[in-house]
Each structure stands twice: as structure tokens, then as C-alpha cells.
Amino acid sequence: MLQIDLHVHTLFSLCGIHTVMELLERARMLGMKGLAITDHGLTIGGRLNSPFFERFQSPYPEIKVLKGIECNILDEKGTIDLPPNFVQWIDVVLAGIHPNIEKGLGRERYTDMVIAAIEKNPSIDIISHPNDPAYPVDYLKLARSAKNKGVALELNNSKILYKRSSVEDTISLIEACRDMGCSMAVCSDTHAILELGRDDSVMPLLVKANFPEELLVTRTAETTLAFIDSRKKNKHC
């Protein structure tokens, strides 16, 4: 189980079905140290609101709430829908390709799109679900670019849990990160409450690929927070 989960959706994402407080209660029951609320950007219906970013504090001192967003990559120039008025309160930024982007454009164009987003947006900390079969990318090229910018590639538990990515392709992603020395972040991508903190579908794949422990930024609460802290300066570039 993850001590801190960096990819969690609430009902403020069209695909999430729980409140922040319901998720916090679940985290408390599991003995987690924290979670990041990362609702979707506005482009695909995320309902981001200033009271959460400006005012919300965890009512449980033992559970840290990180404020984040899962941004959508918008075009081949690497534009993302990160609201500039919220940046000062944001702890973590995920970005990925979602259904706002046309399918069938080919591996090269999707790879260039994600790399352009990394190059253009220093605020991005994690590339979400790069092993989405609807938007295939060149893992070696992406891992090289991410490493150069200190960005982690996500190993998404839900993609394997619900068989939305193949084990074989996901191992290829892990091996590319291993060979390039690129960091990975294991995340649950929670939409339903029993998914919170789960890493059980992907941890065996890390073992199978002999992935170096030191490249896994989410291996403990301490390493997770150290990664987030190391990226804070990039939110104000």
C-alpha cells in the first residue's frame, strides 16, 4: 500500500464519485500518511474551485493533503490547462493525454506531444498513465526527456487492475525508465474509494523488471514528500 497517494480524484472530476472528506476518512482507516487530490483540468470537465485550493486544510494532523491537478495536454505545442490563478497553492501537477486529443495520430505524434509538454511546462511533476494504449508513446524517448527535466513517469495501478493496459506493455515502460535512469511514481488513480492507496497490481511488475528502488519516488512517505519539495521551485518559473 502507498503511504502517500499522488493521484486521487473526487466528485469534482466527472469520473470521481467521492468527496475529499470521504477519501480522507478512508486514508485514515488505512493508516496512510497523505494523499494528493488531483482532479481533472477544465478541458474534460474538472470542476476546480478556489475554496479548495485557498482554504481547505486536513482536519487530521496525521494525514497530509497535497493540492494538485491532473492537467490535460491540449496540443502538439505542449500546452496544458493549468489554471494560473491556482498555481500558488498547488503542490503537485500531473499531466497526460486524455480524450480531448484525437485518437489514431500515431506513436511519434503522441510522443512529441508529451515531450513538448514536459519541455514547455516546468510545473509538471508527473506524466500520468503514459501506458494508455489509446495514445501510445515511445517509452525510451519519453523517459530520456523526463529524466532530463526531473519529471517522474507514472506507474498507474488502475490501468493494470482493470486491464486497461497490458502487463507486457507496462513492463516495457518500466524497463525504459530503468534503462534511462528515469524516476517513476506509483499511483492508484483513485476514482472509487476502495482503490485508494493501492499499488498491488503494479508492484510485482517492478520486481519482475528489476527496477531500482532509488528511482521509485513514492517508495515511502519521506521520499514522496522529498520529491514534491524538490519540485516546488518549478511552480513559479
Side-chain angles (χ1 to χ4, degrees):
M1 189 186 72
L2 296 164
Q3 292 184 9
I4 297 179
D5 195 338
L6 293 179
H7 190 169
V8 179
H9 294 281
T10 76
L11 50 73
F12 283 97
S13 293
L14 289 180
C15 51
I17 56 176
H18 300 286
T19 66
V20 175
M21 286 305 301
E22 287 171 329
L23 291 160
L24 269 173
E25 290 286 357
R26 174 67 177 172
R28 190 184 191 193
M29 187 189 81
L30 292 171
M32 293 173 62
K33 302 289 183 65
L35 72 165
I37 301 299
T38 53
D39 284 312
H40 283 296
L42 301 176
T43 306
I44 61 169
R47 294 177 295 147
L48 306 175
N49 64 88
S50 59
F52 170 70
F53 288 106
E54 293 181 38
R55 302 184 188 184
F56 185 80
Q57 296 181 18
S58 174
Y60 307 122
E62 70 273 24
I63 302 176
K64 187 172 183 63
V65 173
L66 298 168
K67 298 177 180 182
I69 178 173
E70 185 182 11
C71 293
N72 305 288
I73 296 173
L74 303 182
D75 53 39
E76 296 192 44
K77 296 178 182 177
T79 310
I80 63 173
D81 57 355
L82 179 64
N85 51 317
F86 293 154
V87 170
Q88 62 182 304
W89 295 290
I90 287 179
D91 299 300
V92 58
V93 175
L94 285 67
I97 300 180
H98 293 100
N100 58 293
I101 296 295
E102 182 183 352
K103 294 180 181 177
L105 299 180
R107 188 180 305 273
E108 184 176 354
R109 288 181 69 182
Y110 293 132
T111 302
D112 290 346
M113 199 176 292
V114 180
I115 289 175
I118 292 172
E119 297 289 335
K120 184 174 182 177
N121 302 280
S123 58
I124 294 175
D125 304 305
I126 300 170
I127 295 297
S128 54
H129 44 69
N131 59 332
D132 187 336
Y135 305 102
V137 297
D138 183 316
Y139 294 142
L140 285 172
K141 285 185 178 178
L142 180 57
R144 184 182 299 113
S145 175
K147 180 193 176 183
N148 289 340
K149 293 296 184 179
V151 171
L153 300 188
E154 182 188 45
L155 185 54
N156 186 298
N157 196 73
S158 289
K159 285 290 184 188
I160 299 300
L161 178 64
Y162 295 114
K163 297 180 172 59
R164 293 174 177 169
S165 275
S166 73
V167 167
E168 295 75 19
D169 188 59
T170 302
I171 288 177
S172 294
L173 167 63
I174 296 169
E175 290 175 339
C177 289
R178 178 198 67 197
D179 295 346
M180 289 291 110
C182 176
S183 296
M184 299 198 83
V186 173
C187 306
S188 72
D189 194 3
T190 289
H191 291 72
I193 204 162
L194 295 183
E195 298 161 1
L196 184 66
R198 289 187 62 177
D199 61 3
D200 53 301
S201 293
V202 294
M203 290 305 289
L205 306 185
L206 291 170
V207 174
K208 186 174 182 178
N210 294 312
F211 190 75
E213 183 182 79
E214 64 271 17
L215 291 179
L216 188 63
V217 300
T218 51
R219 62 188 182 275
T220 66
E222 290 74 21
T223 60
T224 304
L225 293 175
F227 172 71
I228 297 301
D229 287 343
S230 74
R231 304 283 306 164
K232 278 187 177 179
K233 62 183 184 297
N234 298 303
K235 304 294 182 293
H236 306 288
C237 292

